[in-house]
Amino acid sequence: MSVRARPHFCSLNAAVDILSGKWKILLLWELLEQPRRFGELRRLVPGIREKVLIQQLRELEADGVVARKAFDGTQLRVEYSLTEAGVALTRALEPLTQWSLEHVVRR
Amino acid sequence: MSVRARPHFCSLNAAVDILSGKWKILLLWELLEQPRRFGELRRLVPGIREKVLIQQLRELEADGVVARKAFDGTQLRVEYSLTEAGVALTRALEPLTQWSLEHVVRR
């Protein structure tokens, strides 16, 4: 591996790993708009099973791109939002989105 | 799924699928520098098994980001290069590389 390529390879692979998971990109996209509660995310992502949503949110949280905030009250309220790294990641995806709209959709 | 998010979700997922595969990003990176022969790619990507390199090059070719060119002669010579879509994809990865160098490496 050319020395020049190695840092790109390791870090890019790590970023692609963070994004790999059927619903993660969509979850990031929905959270980019505004913080969301669990139930909202379930409605916005039809087809996702509760167990999978819990798992993928946990993984995004562990990867530091999503934050989980619990609010006390008569009923426990939990809100998910993008961290600063999460917002930056979703922005960094825009050129890739543009590429795929130009190259993937037309085929 | 908010209507606004749907095209992003489908195309971005397709782009992430194209990139998923342990060595693909590195292969794109090495081919961005110049067209390469099979043997060169094997030397530049230590650790990759021949069968996996063949498979991942085939998948990148099927996805339209790598071109394979055979040259007749005393010995069959095969050269791999990025297509126009392949160059554009590798460029579109640069913000993601920057993000991962800032956010993934430092953790």
Side-chain angles (χ1 to χ4, degrees):
Chain A
M1 186 184 318
S2 60
V3 176
R4 196 188 63 77
R6 200 167 303 136
H8 295 86
F9 170 60
C10 301
S11 47
L12 250 178
N13 256 1
V16 171
D17 281 352
I18 289 172
L19 297 169
S20 300
K22 186 172 176 178
W23 305 100
K24 288 186 178 174
I25 290 172
L26 183 60
L27 292 171
L28 291 175
W29 214 268
E30 294 298 353
L31 290 171
L32 184 64
E33 287 203 1
Q34 63 184 66
R36 305 273 187 188
R37 292 173 62 182
F38 187 86
E40 272 181 283
L41 289 171
R42 264 209 90 185
R43 279 190 301 280
L44 282 167
V45 184
I48 193 167
R49 282 180 300 123
E50 183 160 335
K51 204 179 104 187
V52 172
L53 178 55
I54 292 169
Q55 178 62 29
Q56 297 209 346
L57 285 171
R58 252 191 219 138
E59 287 170 6
L60 289 168
E61 204 183 335
D63 286 325
V65 293
V66 163
R68 179 182 185 278
K69 204 168 157 191
F71 299 85
D72 293 333
T74 44
Q75 252 193 338
L76 175 69
R77 202 160 58 85
V78 172
E79 203 173 68
Y80 295 90
S81 57
L82 292 186
T83 61
E84 189 218 314
V87 172
L89 173 59
T90 314
R91 295 268 178 257
L93 288 174
E94 272 154 23
L96 202 54
T97 307
Q98 203 45 45
W99 179 86
S100 37
L101 288 172
E102 282 165 27
H103 293 277
V104 171
V105 173
R106 268 186 311 154
R107 283 185 304 148
Chain B
M1 188 183 315
S2 58
V3 177
R4 196 188 63 77
R6 200 167 303 135
H8 297 89
F9 170 59
C10 301
S11 46
L12 249 179
N13 256 2
V16 171
D17 281 351
I18 290 172
L19 296 169
S20 301
K22 184 170 178 179
W23 305 99
K24 288 185 178 174
I25 289 171
L26 183 59
L27 293 171
L28 292 175
W29 216 271
E30 294 299 354
L31 290 171
L32 185 64
E33 287 203 2
Q34 62 184 66
R36 305 273 188 187
R37 290 172 61 182
F38 187 85
E40 272 182 281
L41 287 172
R42 263 208 92 184
R43 278 191 302 279
L44 283 167
V45 183
I48 192 167
R49 283 179 299 125
E50 183 161 334
K51 205 181 101 186
V52 172
L53 178 55
I54 292 168
Q55 179 62 28
Q56 298 210 344
L57 284 171
R58 246 188 225 143
E59 288 170 6
L60 288 168
E61 204 184 333
D63 286 325
V65 293
V66 163
R68 179 182 184 279
K69 204 167 151 191
F71 298 84
D72 294 332
T74 44
Q75 251 193 338
L76 174 69
R77 201 160 60 85
V78 173
E79 201 172 70
Y80 294 90
S81 57
L82 292 185
T83 61
E84 188 220 316
V87 172
L89 173 59
T90 314
R91 295 269 178 254
L93 287 174
E94 273 156 22
L96 201 54
T97 307
Q98 204 45 45
W99 179 87
S100 39
L101 288 172
E102 282 164 27
H103 294 277
V104 169
V105 173
R106 265 187 312 154
R107 279 187 302 153

